Amino acid sequence: MKRPASPLPPRHGLDAARLRLPTEGTWATVRDHLVERLHRLDPRRIDEMLRERRIVGLDGPITLETPYVPGSFIWFHRDLPDEVPVPFEIGVVHRDDHLVVVDKPHFMATIPRGKHVLETALVRLRRDLGLPELSPAHRLDRVTAGLVMFVARRELRGPYQTLFRDRLVGKEYEAIAPYDPALELPRTVRSRIVKERGVMTAREVPGEPNAETWVELLEHRDGLGRYRLRPRTGRTHQLRVHMSSLGTPILGDTFYPVHRETPLNDFSRPLQLLAKVLEFTDPLTGERRRFESGATLQAWTDHAAWQADVLA
């Protein structure tokens, strides 16, 4: 069954949320179902949205008295959270009819989630580039800077997202971390990493390895090293966990080896991890593609400034 198109236009570059009403249920009205289903939303807020005609079906706005119709669809735009503006720009590295590749700054989430909606790379780019169907082919942690690839049109998502799913994209990262002359590099780090739902950090556990990273020291000075990291798998926080396990945690990491809470308006001392290179064979053209970030890591170029950074 083909999903019906939303009767609501995008807002701030975001599509309306779509709900399909269960085929079985004893609710008399749509309102009764929403109060039960959207349990995190105050019923008074649901009533307000209904009175403001902000919840719609295929036949028009849903009211407080609209009867419940099993299997029908409704749409609405979620309330936006209060967000702290991210005071950094997104650099466009490449743009064509298929792809947009950008340099995402530190402290900016790739896609809307939780407390980050408008101040995300996806929403900013949809708005600024006028590409309402733009979608990410992969994701990058909020605190990690560097290359993120987006697909320009909805019908092209599958082939490019499959590249990342099937690990057909060569990824190269750069990191700044303490230099340990006793650490033998280059080396491949393998371990089993697990990330539990609701827990902020990942951890290494005994068992069959599911995470693999090539770690190479490019140069060192003044007790710091500049490292090249090539992940061969894509576990959550993999690079940060592996660097910490070597005794060389990445500068600015507030998760590993010890988790420290930081406020959302603290933009000081960003994590010194940069997604530097993406390389792959284009699934549509067969062309070999290579994109490289033009960004640099401040702790290497000006360590004193990075250490003294108190922007908030």
Side-chain angles (χ1 to χ4, degrees):
M1 177 180 173
K2 186 178 179 180
R3 294 180 179 179
S6 172
L8 291 175
R11 185 188 65 173
H12 304 298
L14 292 173
D15 294 330
R18 177 182 60 85
L19 295 181
R20 185 174 188 270
L21 305 186
T23 55
E24 295 182 1
T26 58
W27 304 280
T29 65
V30 175
R31 185 263 181 198
D32 292 342
H33 173 66
L34 291 177
V35 168
E36 182 175 324
R37 184 168 182 173
L38 305 179
H39 56 88
R40 294 184 180 180
L41 204 59
D42 190 312
R44 291 173 296 182
R45 179 57 184 147
I46 293 175
D47 292 346
E48 186 178 11
M49 292 173 69
L50 290 169
R51 284 192 291 268
E52 293 174 352
R53 304 166 70 88
R54 290 182 52 188
I55 303 175
V56 305
L58 288 174
D59 297 325
I62 304 297
T63 69
L64 290 164
E65 294 79 27
T66 298
Y68 182 87
V69 178
S72 60
F73 291 90
I74 63 172
W75 291 263
F76 62 93
H77 284 290
R78 301 182 188 276
D79 290 332
L80 296 173
D82 292 328
E83 294 185 65
V84 177
V86 179
F88 308 110
E89 297 300 319
I90 305 173
V92 177
V93 175
H94 172 86
R95 179 180 179 182
D96 61 30
D97 290 341
H98 296 169
L99 300 175
V100 176
V101 182
V102 304
D103 253 331
K104 184 187 78 66
H106 296 285
F107 303 110
M108 180 177 287
T110 302
I111 62 172
R113 184 179 180 183
K115 296 180 180 179
H116 309 283
V117 178
L118 298 184
E119 293 295 319
T120 61
L122 177 62
V123 173
R124 276 201 191 181
L125 289 168
R126 280 183 173 180
R127 178 193 65 210
D128 295 347
L129 301 181
L131 295 173
E133 295 185 358
L134 194 72
S135 60
H138 65 120
R139 302 179 190 179
L140 203 59
D141 282 351
R142 174 178 170 266
V143 292
T144 302
L147 296 182
V148 184
M149 190 168 83
F150 293 84
V151 184
R153 302 197 305 278
R154 183 177 291 112
E155 68 269 18
L156 303 178
R157 291 175 187 171
Y160 290 106
Q161 291 176 341
T162 298
L163 283 178
F164 288 88
R165 184 199 67 192
D166 294 346
R167 301 175 186 171
L168 298 176
V169 179
K171 300 178 184 179
E172 183 178 307
Y173 290 73
E174 191 171 296
I176 310 302
Y179 168 65
D180 180 0
L183 182 62
E184 294 184 5
L185 294 174
R187 69 164 63 181
T188 296
V189 181
R190 297 183 182 91
S191 69
R192 184 167 190 81
I193 295 176
V194 298
K195 171 72 166 61
E196 299 171 3
R197 183 182 295 273
V199 179
M200 296 294 290
T201 56
R203 58 191 176 93
E204 291 180 300
V205 299
E208 183 71 20
N210 62 2
E212 181 176 321
T213 306
W214 172 260
V215 181
E216 179 182 357
L217 177 67
L218 296 176
E219 56 182 325
H220 68 89
R221 65 168 184 250
D222 303 324
L224 294 179
R226 187 167 72 90
Y227 298 85
R228 178 185 290 136
L229 311 177
R230 290 196 178 106
R232 291 172 181 154
T233 53
R235 311 304 298 186
T236 299
H237 299 171
Q238 175 179 316
L239 302 181
R240 297 158 69 179
V241 170
H242 279 168
M243 287 297 285
S244 181
S245 72
L246 293 175
T248 53
I250 300 172
L251 265 61
D253 196 341
T254 60
F255 276 28
Y256 308 98
V258 178
H259 182 206
R260 304 186 305 277
E261 293 286 348
T262 55
L264 291 178
N265 65 344
D266 183 356
F267 300 111
S268 63
R269 300 186 184 180
L271 177 73
Q272 294 299 280
L273 180 62
L274 175 70
K276 188 71 174 177
V277 173
L278 291 174
E279 190 169 11
F280 58 94
T281 298
D282 193 297
L284 300 184
T285 67
E287 175 189 0
R288 190 65 183 171
R289 300 260 208 165
R290 177 183 169 88
F291 301 110
E292 185 165 347
S293 169
T296 57
L297 291 170
Q298 188 185 30
W300 187 256
T301 59
D302 191 347
H303 183 263
W306 175 83
Q307 197 167 37
D309 184 8
V310 292
L311 177 63

